[in-house]
Amino acid sequence: GAGVSQSPSNKVTEKGKDVELRCDPISGHTALYWYRQSLGQGLEFLIYFQGNSAPDKSGLPSDRFSAERTGGSVSTLTIQRTQQEDSAVYLCASSLFPGRNTEAFFGQGTRLTVV
Amino acid sequence: TQLLEQSPQFLSIQEGENLTVYCNSSSVFSSLQWYRQEPGEGPVLLVTVVTGGEVKKLKRLTFQFGDARKDSSLHITAAQPGDTGLYLCAGLIQGAQKLVFGQGTRLTINP
C-alpha cells in the first residue's frame, strides 16, 4: 500500500478481554515501531523490530503486552486481559532502514477503549 | 522517566507572534527529528538534524540541534493559525535504533 495501514481504527473492548491490533507497514521497510499515545500526550515507545534481529521490547509496560512481526512485514500487537489504563491510541510506524536520516512513517492509529 | 523533555507543553499565542519550543535531554542522540501531528492522524516528519550545532530552516520554521547533540529547539516566526498542532521531538538513541519521543507541545495560534 501507499502508506502504513492499521486496523481496526477503533476498538472498544470489555475489561479482561484480549485484543489484537494489526499494522501493515510500507512495503520494503525493514524497521517497524509500536507506540502508545494517551489523550493529547506524546508517544510512549513500546517495541521495535528491525529485519531479522531480535526485537527491542524494552518499552512494553507489562507481560500482558506482546508483539509479533511475521515475514518481516505485518505486525500484530496483542494485549491480554485488558485493563482500563490500556485505553489509548496505538500507533505503528515503519522506516526504510535504520539510520540517522531515516524518516518514520506513521499509520493513523488504533483507538482502544477498555470499558 | 521521560528521556526527552519538551517545553512548554502547552502554548497559545496570537497570530503574528514568534515562539520557541525546546527539547532537552541528558542523553546524546545520533539525530533528532521534529514531527507535527494533527488530530486523528499520525505524526508527520518536519525535519531531521544530525550534526551538532546544525540549523535548518523550513519557511518560517527554524530548527537547531545543540552542539552536544542533547537538545534541540524549534522557532516559529510570525505564527499562523495553520501552525496549530502537536509538535513532537524524537531522538535516535546513539548506538541503538530506538526512536524515542518527547511528550509534545500543543500549540494553538489564535487569529
Side-chain angles (χ1 to χ4, degrees):
Chain A
V4 177
S5 178
Q6 291 188 244
S7 60
S9 55
N10 281 285
K11 176 72 177 179
V12 180
T13 190
E14 291 181 354
K15 178 181 173 181
K17 295 286 180 70
D18 298 352
V19 294
E20 283 190 354
L21 312 180
R22 178 186 168 102
C23 174
D24 279 278
I26 293 173
S27 178
H29 280 196
T30 63
L32 187 147
Y33 301 84
W34 281 99
Y35 294 90
R36 179 167 70 174
Q37 186 174 33
S38 299
L39 187 62
Q41 299 300 308
L43 275 63
E44 176 189 4
F45 169 81
L46 297 177
I47 189 168
Y48 164 67
F49 294 91
Q50 170 52 41
N52 295 320
S53 302
D56 180 339
K57 303 179 181 180
S58 60
L60 294 178
S62 77
D63 58 8
R64 295 186 295 105
F65 288 73
S66 63
E68 291 184 336
R69 188 178 185 191
T70 54
S73 181
V74 172
S75 179
T76 303
L77 177 68
T78 301
I79 308 173
Q80 295 178 309
R81 304 180 303 281
T82 52
Q83 303 295 313
Q84 288 187 328
E85 60 263 29
D86 299 333
S87 296
V89 175
Y90 289 82
L91 288 160
C92 174
S94 70
S95 61
L96 184 57
F97 49 79
R100 297 193 305 168
N101 276 305
T102 254
E103 175 178 357
F105 292 85
F106 283 83
Q108 291 189 315
T110 293
R111 181 175 297 279
L112 176 66
T113 304
V114 182
V115 297
Chain B
T1 304
Q2 194 76 32
L3 194 59
L4 278 165
E5 294 285 345
Q6 281 189 243
S7 62
Q9 292 191 37
F10 298 92
L11 184 59
S12 180
I13 62 172
Q14 295 300 120
E15 181 177 0
E17 294 183 358
N18 302 331
L19 66 108
T20 302
V21 176
Y22 299 93
C23 178
N24 295 299
S25 178
S26 57
S27 300
V28 176
F29 295 100
S30 300
S31 63
L32 199 136
Q33 299 178 322
W34 285 90
Y35 289 78
R36 180 179 158 188
Q37 186 178 22
E38 304 281 358
E41 303 289 330
V44 175
L45 181 69
L46 294 174
V47 78
T48 301
V49 284
V50 298
T51 306
E54 182 176 1
V55 176
K56 279 193 175 179
K57 291 192 175 183
L58 187 66
K59 296 183 180 178
R60 294 177 293 100
L61 279 60
T62 302
F63 304 85
Q64 184 163 7
F65 201 11
D67 290 341
R69 305 209 313 276
K70 294 182 179 181
D71 53 80
S72 180
S73 64
L74 158 60
H75 182 79
I76 301 179
T77 303
Q80 304 294 313
D83 296 328
T84 294
L86 181 67
Y87 289 81
L88 296 153
C89 66
L92 193 65
I93 294 177
Q94 195 168 29
Q97 300 304 326
K98 188 161 66 177
L99 189 64
V100 293
F101 282 77
Q103 71 270 52
T105 295
R106 185 161 298 282
L107 177 63
T108 303
I109 309 300
N110 303 301

